[in-house]
Amino acid sequence: MPGLGTSFGRGGATTFPQDLVNSDAVLIMGSNMAENHPIAFARVLEAKERGATVIHVDPHFSRTSALADIYLPIRAGSDIAFLGGVIRWLLANDRYFHDYVYYYTNALTVIDDKFEDTELLDGVFSGLDAKTGTYADISSWQYKRDKKGNTVTDPELKNPRAVLNLLRYHFERYTPEEVERICGVDKDGFLRVCEVLAANSGRERTAAFCYALGWTQHSHGVQNIRAAAIIQLLLGNIGRPGGGILALRGHASIQGSTDVPTLYDLLSGYMPQPSALLDHDTLEKYITASWRPTGWWANFRKYIVSFLKTWYGESATKENDYRFDWVAKTNGDHSHLASTFAMVEGKIKGMIIMGQNPASGSSHARLQRKALATLDWLVVRDLYEIESAAFWYAAPDGEDPKTIKTEIFFIPAASHLEKEGSFTNTQRLVQWREKAIDPPGDARSDAWFIHKLAKRLKELYADSTAKRDEPIKALTWDFDRDAPEPGSRILDEPDMDKVVQELNGRDIASGKLVSGFAELKDDGSTACGSWIYSGIHPEPGLNRAASRDNRGRVFPNWAWSWPANRRIL
């Protein structure tokens, strides 16, 4: 979630659902929270019973709307204008939390003189490369610095390039009348929402924001979430009880799949995937582009070097750039929909589907089925024959099965009750679960499938002399169990505790597990699979994701929350 990552340095919720009981107001947008996240919504209702005002802004009246104090219908896709209007209202009416904004944000910092806003450049910022359509040059976006290299601030806010003044200028167009025109909301209703948010800000009161796919799946979803972060900073609601932003994620580790990512544009721990389009051909160039001078990203070199040592072990040395050349480089948009079009065009020959059902659950399901029909082979792992496995004979499109060339392999998977491992939920909380029973028949866990696939690939390429096969040969893969799992008929499941230890990180020479990412080094002496998970398994036998002590106001010893077991960011 780059909107949160840009604002706060990490792409996860800044708080946890149980803390919503401390909120004096809760704004829900882009989510039917009552139906899709009912356990978390129970905390919203508890806050309401304590006197909190619940606001739901959504195109559809739902169970969430029915239980809200204020329901405001909005035109689909216009959320960004609504949020922009709130920002403008807070600034124009001087209703932001001054002390918080001045002392705990970058509001008084001055931006470089070369920066130009969208109002001056016909809708784009300075630094745009017209050929690539990307902001390749962000030098003008940086803080202005004095002769000693220190950032320049303006405590009296007289400089028009102070962040708060630029913010005021950028959002000036979003008047209540403009919000009403774009969003279709009632002007008085919009102003009431603004008033409630402002009234529940300050030293004694806080408000929380909750959103889900109704924001993230918009074409401007990143901007929606970035605007929400700006509002919460203006109101002083970040890092305080009852405040924050909850990115409501699916229960079965959707947050985990972005932390230790299945995303094409990220490496583990929100490090960017190297790009062939951004001159990332050496490790030094990649680090220079990704490193930031302040915050936790100032240690980026330690994270990426330790990560490469985890992947390639002894093969990764300082002399060979820790085998950064072996890491795949993106050369464009490889997201789900873009890949679907690539399949239709015949550029992708095979696909493995795990935990996904594009034939019925992805955008433009008919296009998805058309894309699947162009593949040479398709592997589907699931509990039962889902639409993506049966599209060739059971699709509503009426295609003749004889015309579909795709060879489909349906492989039975284990359910969540039939495998051990962890879920990372909405609040960045990694919770361990033990296996209750063995899966039936030939069904196996996802971890078993990946483990077997990796071992077979390494065996297949073991004697290869081709240069392109070197990364697979060098890949470290040490997840075999030391002994069979007690009481299980399946003797070859990987040891998931070893996976957690790899994510945690260790000192290579001694083998000692590190206690947190502060112990990681950039000289190749440490290995760490995901720096944000460092500290989850600080010593043998202590998997903190399996902690079950529910005492304390923020439950610090119930499971483990990244980063550094922080419950409120």
Side-chain angles (χ1 to χ4, degrees), residues 358-381:
S360 74
S362 295
S363 299
H364 201 336
R366 180 176 293 178
L367 174 67
Q368 300 289 338
R369 293 191 291 270
K370 181 179 179 181
L372 295 177
T374 67
L375 298 173
D376 290 342
W377 57 268
L378 172 67
V379 175
V380 180
R381 299 195 75 256

Side-chain angles (χ1 to χ4, degrees), residues 193-458:
V193 170
C194 292
E195 185 61 46
V196 168
L197 291 175
N200 290 290
S201 170
R203 293 181 178 275
E204 305 299 330
R205 306 183 73 79
T206 54
F209 279 26
C210 301
Y211 75 88
L213 296 183
W215 271 3
T216 57
Q217 296 304 303
H218 282 196
S219 59
H220 50 261
V222 172
Q223 289 82 357
N224 281 336
I225 298 156
R226 175 69 174 133
I230 291 171
I231 293 172
Q232 287 295 69
L233 287 169
L234 288 172
L235 294 172
N237 285 329
I238 299 298
R240 302 179 62 214
I245 299 177
L246 265 176
L248 299 165
R249 312 304 301 272
H251 69 283
S253 211
I254 298 301
Q255 181 66 53
S257 72
T258 54
D259 298 341
V260 186
T262 53
L263 305 178
Y264 81 93
D265 57 343
L266 289 177
L267 294 174
S268 217
Y270 298 90
M271 295 185 293
Q273 185 81 24
S275 169
L277 302 177
L278 295 177
D279 196 23
H280 289 167
D281 55 324
T282 69
L283 179 61
E284 197 59 40
K285 289 181 179 179
Y286 168 75
I287 292 174
T288 299
S290 307
W291 173 84
R292 294 293 178 267
T294 58
W296 288 341
W297 287 113
N299 296 303
F300 185 85
R301 184 183 297 273
K302 298 178 181 179
Y303 309 150
I304 185 62
V305 171
S306 296
F307 175 76
L308 293 171
K309 288 295 292 184
T310 293
W311 270 16
Y312 301 125
E314 295 179 356
S315 298
T317 66
K318 183 178 180 180
E319 290 69 31
N320 62 24
D321 244 2
Y322 298 103
R323 299 281 33 163
F324 178 75
D325 58 314
W326 285 348
V327 180
K329 313 296 189 293
T330 60
N331 60 2
D333 183 356
H334 308 294
S335 61
H336 178 48
L337 197 55
S339 296
T340 302
F341 285 115
M343 280 188 267
V344 172
E345 295 167 1
K347 297 177 181 177
I348 295 177
K349 302 300 183 183
M351 186 179 187
I352 299 175
I353 295 176
M354 302 167 64
Q356 185 85 345
N357 190 7
S360 74
S362 295
S363 299
H364 201 336
R366 180 176 293 178
L367 174 67
Q368 300 289 338
R369 293 191 291 270
K370 181 179 179 181
L372 295 177
T374 67
L375 298 173
D376 290 342
W377 57 268
L378 172 67
V379 175
V380 180
R381 299 195 75 256
D382 215 295
L383 309 183
Y384 51 88
E385 189 183 49
I386 58 176
E387 289 83 353
S388 294
F391 78 92
W392 61 279
Y393 75 88
D397 314 322
E399 288 280 342
D400 182 354
K402 295 179 181 178
T403 66
I404 296 175
K405 65 169 184 172
T406 313
E407 184 176 11
I408 300 171
F409 303 87
F410 179 69
I411 301 177
S415 78
H416 64 98
L417 299 172
E418 299 161 350
K419 56 188 176 184
E420 68 170 351
S422 66
F423 284 159
T424 308
N425 70 5
T426 283
Q427 65 206 65
R428 300 166 282 102
L429 190 70
V430 191
Q431 299 183 93
W432 195 259
R433 62 186 309 151
E434 288 75 25
K435 182 172 74 173
I437 55 174
D438 279 340
D442 292 329
R444 294 291 185 272
S445 69
D446 295 335
W448 178 93
F449 180 81
I450 296 295
H451 182 59
K452 288 292 184 181
L453 181 61
K455 293 189 70 173
R456 289 190 182 195
L457 285 171
K458 287 183 68 65

